[in-house]
């Protein structure tokens, strides 16, 4: 059944219905929710987390929290919005825990090795890297609003619920993020001054 999901266009309503089924006790339904939303949760957590290496642990924490509390899901919003809200809380809790204890310095050059192992010359690869770097440079709240609405394509009202703020605030943050990204792209596109 789960293998069939990979070859079938899954709608937001399908995933929400599966979450409702899981809340009612259908043991297989949560597996379908997991398969359908894992990628979105992973990308969202990676966007929010300060530590990209911790993203996998935070995704696992998100799904553990979700499966433990799926019986509370009533379908008032989409399952994706519900799961991304849980993911956001997991990231915030992780950041709070990390801030409360000292961090050891890691002086090994793992980052250079990882960068050298990345594929090159793929169509759009370099542009995608640049775009993600620009998005990551946005201030936290603007980055989150932009990522939810523009990358994950979440409706503004669901992004507002996920972020626990008014819809107008999300719209404002996205607008400001777009303006900042445009300005940053314009700066990168300016020709170097002639000597």
């Amino acid at each position: 059944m789960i293998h069939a999901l990979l070859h079938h266009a899954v709608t937001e309503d399908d995933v929400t219905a599966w979450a409702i089924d899981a809340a009612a006790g259908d043991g297989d339904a949560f597996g379908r929710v997991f398969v359908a939303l894992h990628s979105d949760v992973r990308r969202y957590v990676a966007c929010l987390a300060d530590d990209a290496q911790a993203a996998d642990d935070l995704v696992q924490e998100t799904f553990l929290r979700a499966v433990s509390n799926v019986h509370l899901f009533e379908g008032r919003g989409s399952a994706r919005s519900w799961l991304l809200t849980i993911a956001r809380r997991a990231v915030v809790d992780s950041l709070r825990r990390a801030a409360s204890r000292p961090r050891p310095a890691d002086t090994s050059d793992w980052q250079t090795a990882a960068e050298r192992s990345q594929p090159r010359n793929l169509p759009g690869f370099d542009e995608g890297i640049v775009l993600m770097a620009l998005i990551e440079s946005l201030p936290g709240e603007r980055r989150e609003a932009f990522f939810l609405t523009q990358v994950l394509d979440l409706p503004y009202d669901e992004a507002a619920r996920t972020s626990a703020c008014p819809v107008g605030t999300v719209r404002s943050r996205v607008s400001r993020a777009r303006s900042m990204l445009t300005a940053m792209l314009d700066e990168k596109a300016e020709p170097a001054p002639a000597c």
Side-chain angles (χ1 to χ4, degrees):
M1 176 67 175
I2 290 178
H3 181 69
L5 289 177
L6 298 174
H7 303 292
H8 170 283
V10 177
T11 68
E12 193 89 17
D13 291 339
D14 291 336
V15 179
T16 300
W18 297 333
I20 290 170
D21 291 345
D26 181 343
D28 294 329
F30 194 82
R32 292 189 298 271
V33 172
F34 176 85
V35 169
L37 296 178
H38 184 270
S39 177
D40 284 351
V41 170
R42 173 74 172 86
R43 293 182 337 189
Y44 182 55
V45 165
C47 172
L48 293 180
D50 281 346
D51 181 2
Q53 292 179 330
D56 288 331
D57 292 338
L58 291 167
V59 171
Q60 183 176 5
E61 174 69 20
T62 297
F63 281 103
L64 285 173
R65 289 181 184 193
V67 79
S68 298
N69 293 298
V70 72
H71 65 282
L72 300 173
F73 182 74
E74 296 175 349
R76 292 183 186 161
S78 74
R80 184 165 59 151
S81 177
W82 171 72
L83 207 49
L84 293 176
T85 300
I86 293 171
R88 184 175 196 271
R89 288 184 192 137
V91 171
V92 168
D93 290 349
S94 173
L95 293 173
R96 285 181 181 151
R97 281 191 303 272
S100 69
R101 60 181 178 264
R103 297 171 72 181
D106 184 13
T107 58
S108 64
D109 196 16
W110 63 267
Q111 190 170 10
T112 301
E115 288 172 359
R116 288 183 182 155
S117 70
Q118 296 300 312
R120 298 283 183 229
N121 300 324
L122 297 175
F125 179 79
D126 291 332
E127 293 86 355
I129 296 294
V130 169
L131 180 59
M132 287 312 294
L134 290 174
I135 291 171
E136 288 174 12
S137 71
L138 291 170
E141 292 173 338
R142 291 179 188 175
R143 179 179 64 237
E144 178 185 16
F146 185 85
F147 195 85
L148 285 171
T149 60
Q150 308 305 301
V151 177
L152 295 180
D153 201 28
L154 209 61
Y156 281 85
D157 61 331
E158 291 191 26
R161 276 196 295 272
T162 300
S163 302
C165 67
V167 174
T169 301
V170 171
R171 290 185 190 283
S172 174
R173 289 175 182 170
V174 170
S175 175
R176 289 183 178 143
R178 283 182 182 151
S179 295
M180 288 182 73
L181 288 171
T182 301
M184 288 187 279
L185 286 170
D186 288 345
E187 283 177 20
K188 291 193 177 294
E190 287 181 13
C195 296

